[in-house]
């Protein structure tokens, strides 16, 4: 089953009466349980693509299906509900509320989603389990300025998973982290993906892209090509995967 099915997607901005075609007839699919990286030069449309297919921005033309639901046919309120309850988001800039603790930031989206399906006790227990799984239980009561960048990004991942989304959208999630924290965060993404959550990740980092099952290259608003390197398995040579992606990117003109 496709988690995401995009067909002939176009996104056009009008700036100073000039038409800027950021995305041009983009078509691709992400299967349920697949982890896909999006790469391309600066200004190629990577982030616009992520924002558009996730319903955070409107498309100019084309069709977007999310688990069979046509997003471009939904109202703003319906889109907001799907983003809250069925999608997860992780960004390079770690947006969290400064007046809340790490733990409270994590449970907030679940409380916002309502308590019809899960009680507060179930939500709280799930948040504790997520923090334990991602190794940040000891900073649950800390303010967001009392933890490291890696810990904060792990908290953002916990928050993105609190409503058990069908797909996780990530925009340069390791961009502001050091190499060690970046590798640790990518291990978490791989573990999440192995457990069945689809992931669409925009990145400029070859090491990050090499952890993905498939990488799509976008240039000037078009998909130029893609490479399938399979699931990242434990014990597999990371260097070989990186070499494969690097060689392919050179062929793309990276």
């Amino acid at each position: 089953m496709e988690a995401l099915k995009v067909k002939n997607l176009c996104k056009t901005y009008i700036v100073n009466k000039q038409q800027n075609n950021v995305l041009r007839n983009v078509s691709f699919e992400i299967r349920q349980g697949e982890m896909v990286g999006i790469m391309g030069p600066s200004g190629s449309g990577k982030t616009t693509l992520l924002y558009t297919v996730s319903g955070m921005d409107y498309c100019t033309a084309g069709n977007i299906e999310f688990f069979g639901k046509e997003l471009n046919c939904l109202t703003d309120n319906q889109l907001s509900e799907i983003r809250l309850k069925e999608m997860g988001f992780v960004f390079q800039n770690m947006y969290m509320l400064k007046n809340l603790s790490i733990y409270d930031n994590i449970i907030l989206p679940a409380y916002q989603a309502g308590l019809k399906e899960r009680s507060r006790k179930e939500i709280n227990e799930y948040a504790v389990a997520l923090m334990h799984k991602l190794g940040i239980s000891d900073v649950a009561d800390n303010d967001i300025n009392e933890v490291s960048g890696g810990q904060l990004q792990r908290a953002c991942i916990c928050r993105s998973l609190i409503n058990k989304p069908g797909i996780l959208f990530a925009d340069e999630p390791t961009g502001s982290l050091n190499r060690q924290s970046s590798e640790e965060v990518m291990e978490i993404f791989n573990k999440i993906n192995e457990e069945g959550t689809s992931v669409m990740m925009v990145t400029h980092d070859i090491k990050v892209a090499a952890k993905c099952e498939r990488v799509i290259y976008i240039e000037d608003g078009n998909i130029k090509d893609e490479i399938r390197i399979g699931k990242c398995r434990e014990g597999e040579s990371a260097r070989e995967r990186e070499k494969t992606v690097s060689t392919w990117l050179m062929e793309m003109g990276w």
Side-chain angles (χ1 to χ4, degrees):
M1 180 182 181
E2 286 87 16
L4 193 66
K5 190 173 182 180
V6 179
K7 190 172 182 181
N8 297 326
L9 181 67
C10 298
K11 178 65 181 179
T12 301
Y13 293 104
I14 306 296
V15 180
N16 296 327
K17 298 182 180 180
Q18 295 289 320
Q19 185 169 296
N20 184 13
N21 301 311
V22 183
L23 299 174
R24 313 177 188 200
N25 297 312
V26 172
S27 298
F28 68 97
E29 298 174 359
I30 295 178
R31 299 191 311 275
Q32 189 171 0
E34 191 176 23
M35 184 166 171
V36 178
I38 308 294
M39 299 192 79
S42 297
S44 59
K46 302 185 298 294
T47 296
T48 299
L49 179 63
L50 185 143
Y51 275 59
T52 307
V53 301
S54 63
M56 287 194 288
D57 199 358
Y58 295 103
C59 62
T60 305
N63 185 262
I64 306 162
E65 286 186 19
F66 173 73
F67 287 99
K69 301 171 187 173
E70 292 192 23
L71 296 188
N72 35 317
C73 295
L74 301 180
T75 65
D76 287 347
N77 287 339
Q78 289 171 326
L79 280 172
S80 293
E81 187 151 324
I82 284 178
R83 286 196 302 270
L84 175 62
K85 295 182 177 180
E86 301 179 49
M87 297 177 178
F89 296 89
V90 181
F91 302 100
Q92 178 176 352
N93 294 319
M94 305 167 206
Y95 303 106
M96 282 200 162
L97 296 177
K98 295 178 181 178
N99 59 323
L100 297 181
S101 67
I102 294 292
Y103 173 78
D104 287 338
N105 266 287
I106 290 169
I107 63 172
L108 181 62
Y111 279 34
Q112 288 176 320
L115 301 171
K116 292 180 182 179
E117 297 174 4
R118 292 188 290 171
S119 67
R120 290 194 176 196
K121 181 182 178 184
E122 288 173 316
I123 291 169
N124 295 348
E125 287 176 349
Y126 188 55
V128 169
L130 283 173
M131 286 187 290
H132 176 73
K133 188 175 182 179
L134 271 67
I136 56 169
S137 298
D138 56 333
V139 298
D141 296 326
N142 288 35
D143 291 338
I144 65 170
N145 59 354
E146 295 176 334
V147 297
S148 69
Q151 289 172 321
L152 191 59
Q153 192 63 297
R154 287 169 185 243
C156 290
I157 295 170
C158 286
R159 182 184 60 185
S160 75
L161 296 172
I162 193 68
N163 286 330
K164 302 179 180 179
I167 190 167
L168 197 155
F169 293 100
D171 188 10
E172 301 283 7
T174 63
S176 59
L177 303 178
N178 61 36
R179 178 52 60 191
Q180 182 179 342
S181 294
S182 174
E183 289 175 358
E184 290 170 354
V185 164
M186 283 310 299
E187 284 179 14
I188 291 166
F189 274 111
N190 280 124
K191 191 177 293 185
I192 291 164
N193 179 243
E194 284 172 8
E195 293 169 355
T197 303
S198 303
V199 179
M200 176 178 167
M201 179 181 300
V202 169
T203 184
H204 68 277
D205 191 327
I206 292 174
K207 289 181 179 291
V208 170
K211 300 285 188 182
C212 296
E213 181 176 352
R214 181 161 57 103
V215 183
I216 294 172
Y217 191 87
I218 185 169
E219 186 175 74
D220 296 329
N222 293 290
I223 291 178
K224 187 174 180 180
D225 198 5
E226 66 172 60
I227 185 172
R228 188 179 298 276
I229 50 179
K231 291 282 187 188
C232 186
R233 303 297 182 188
E234 190 174 344
E236 185 180 4
S237 171
R239 187 170 294 178
E240 283 302 314
R241 292 178 68 92
E242 290 163 16
K243 185 178 178 181
T244 298
V245 173
S246 180
T247 300
W248 174 72
L249 287 171
M250 287 176 67
E251 293 172 359
M252 294 296 101
W254 172 261

